[in-house]
Amino acid sequence: MILWDGACIVHEAFSLERIAQQMVENPMAKLIAHPESEAPILQMAHFVGSTSALLDFVEKDSANAFIIATEEGIIHQMRKRAPHKTIIPALTDDENCACS
């Protein structure tokens, strides 16, 4: 049996530098991340949680803007559950979000 310390390609693609820049550009936004994100991103995050926990956090937290470090598919659900809040997909090393 060959063991491999696996990783999620979506969560591995986020750029620490680009997210840090997003945080500078959006100082009122909270960074929230899925626990499969890399350690430096988790350390910067205001909240780390499962997919459902991230959805609940955006809906219930008093902040009006969030930078989201998880799969693109959750963004639509967040916008449906909290249409009055600003949802910003975290950026990857290329010019796009971390679309799966």
Side-chain angles (χ1 to χ4, degrees), residues 16 19 23 30-34 37-49 54 67 69:
L16 180 62
I19 292 173
M23 293 175 76
K30 288 186 177 179
L31 171 62
I32 65 172
H34 191 275
S37 299
E38 303 224 332
I41 292 170
L42 297 177
Q43 291 168 355
M44 286 185 1
H46 296 94
F47 180 77
V48 176
L54 295 176
I67 300 168

Side-chain angles (χ1 to χ4, degrees), residues 1-78:
M1 179 181 297
I2 299 172
L3 299 179
W4 172 63
D5 187 21
C8 173
I9 192 168
V10 171
H11 297 101
E12 228 178 30
F14 292 116
S15 166
L16 180 62
E17 294 78 21
R18 294 188 80 201
I19 292 173
Q21 184 60 39
Q22 286 181 294
M23 293 175 76
V24 169
E25 293 168 359
N26 302 280
M28 301 305 288
K30 288 186 177 179
L31 171 62
I32 65 172
H34 191 275
E36 291 179 9
S37 299
E38 303 224 332
I41 292 170
L42 297 177
Q43 291 168 355
M44 286 185 1
H46 296 94
F47 180 77
V48 176
S50 66
T51 300
S52 61
L54 295 176
L55 282 165
D56 289 342
F57 188 80
V58 166
E59 186 176 17
K60 296 174 183 170
D61 192 77
S62 62
N64 289 316
F66 301 89
I67 300 168
I68 312 298
T70 194
E71 295 188 56
E72 172 77 15
I74 195 174
I75 303 296
H76 175 70
Q77 291 302 317
M78 288 178 175

